[in-house]
Amino acid sequence: MRLILIIQLTLIYICKSQEADIMKPTVNIISDLQKLQTLVEGLLTDLNATKSELVKQKALVQNLQQQITESPKVAFTASMTSEENLHRGPFTSEKKLIFDKVLTNIGDAYNPKTGVFIAPVKGIYYFRYSGYAFTLHNMGLSIFKGNTRFVSSYEHTSGEKNDNVSNGAVMQLSAGEEVHMRLWIQSWIFVDYRYNYSTFTGYLLYPI
């Protein structure tokens, strides 16, 4: 009987203890909600900033696409025509070379009658040339920006059978500025009727 009483009292004590634990607040709900609200507000701020940056990037991409679409297409390559293989030169004075055999002339900025390229827009351009000749005479070539020599190549008589020269340059040109090629004094360049060994090339990299 006494044992039963002890068991009953023990059970009552356990129940009371569990009830007390259940009723005891172990979590501060208000504090946690405030922390969660602060976190959400921070995430919303980051999201709005990301949206704003995406809008700027989209506008930039659209602007670049528009520039590419509206940018003039300018590119040419020309050689020199001849009914037979021959050399031009040597001359007693420097001569402008007229590359009258047009291979490509997108935008028609190069004039094969005068040998002059006229920039249609202000921009950054790239020009390159190649020259071929036999070694009985020297070969000197230059690109001119207006009346100013820009870059050159020179091949001295070396005793070899064939000579080749080439060079290129990036130029900033204003609309209307001219570029052409010249053959140096007392030098020559080979002109063939078939293979286009000697050429003059230029194209617009991008407008500015």
Side-chain angles (χ1 to χ4, degrees), residues 5-191:
L5 180 60
I6 293 173
I7 293 174
Q8 288 177 341
L9 290 173
T10 302
L11 291 173
I12 291 171
Y13 176 79
I14 293 173
C15 290
K16 291 292 185 179
S17 298
Q18 290 179 345
E19 182 179 358
D21 290 338
I22 293 173
M23 297 303 295
K24 182 180 179 181
T26 57
V27 178
N28 191 331
I29 297 176
I30 295 177
S31 176
D32 288 346
L33 286 176
Q34 289 176 341
K35 292 179 181 179
L36 183 60
Q37 183 179 0
T38 301
L39 177 62
V40 170
E41 289 175 352
L43 291 174
L44 287 174
T45 300
D46 292 342
L47 179 60
N48 290 332
T50 302
K51 287 182 178 180
S52 178
E53 185 63 26
L54 285 174
V55 170
K56 293 179 182 179
Q57 293 296 330
K58 184 177 181 181
L60 179 61
V61 170
Q62 289 176 342
N63 183 43
L64 291 174
Q65 289 176 337
Q66 184 177 2
Q67 289 183 21
I68 293 173
T69 301
E70 297 177 355
S71 175
K73 308 299 186 293
V74 181
F76 78 92
T77 293
S79 183
M80 290 178 281
T81 57
S82 176
E83 294 181 357
E84 59 181 344
N85 294 333
L86 52 81
H87 283 82
R88 291 187 181 173
F91 301 108
T92 57
S93 62
E94 196 168 58
K95 296 291 184 181
K96 181 172 69 174
L97 287 172
I98 299 178
F99 292 81
D100 58 336
K101 185 179 180 180
V102 172
L103 305 178
T104 304
N105 197 11
I106 300 170
D108 294 322
Y110 175 74
N111 188 335
K113 294 181 179 180
T114 63
V116 176
F117 173 86
I118 302 177
V121 295
K122 183 178 181 180
I124 305 300
Y125 295 79
Y126 179 73
F127 295 92
R128 185 166 185 82
Y129 64 83
S130 62
Y132 173 82
F134 296 113
T135 59
L136 297 179
H137 291 280
N138 302 328
M139 178 172 51
L141 300 172
S142 296
I143 294 180
F144 275 73
K145 178 183 178 182
N147 293 319
T148 303
R149 196 182 308 272
F150 206 82
V151 296
S152 303
S153 297
Y154 184 76
E155 178 66 41
H156 187 267
T157 302
S158 61
E160 299 175 355
K161 185 176 181 180
N162 302 313
D163 288 328
N164 292 277
V165 297
S166 65
N167 207 342
V170 174
M171 295 185 190
Q172 178 176 325
L173 300 176
S174 297
E177 283 197 281
E178 299 181 356
V179 178
H180 67 276
M181 292 281 305
R182 291 187 190 178
L183 179 69
W184 289 18
I185 185 173
Q186 297 299 336
S187 66
W188 68 359
I189 187 170
F190 182 73
V191 182

Side-chain angles (χ1 to χ4, degrees), residues 191-202:
V191 182
D192 70 284
Y193 71 93
R194 183 178 179 184
Y195 292 107
N196 304 315
Y197 290 116
S198 303
T199 59
F200 181 31
T201 294

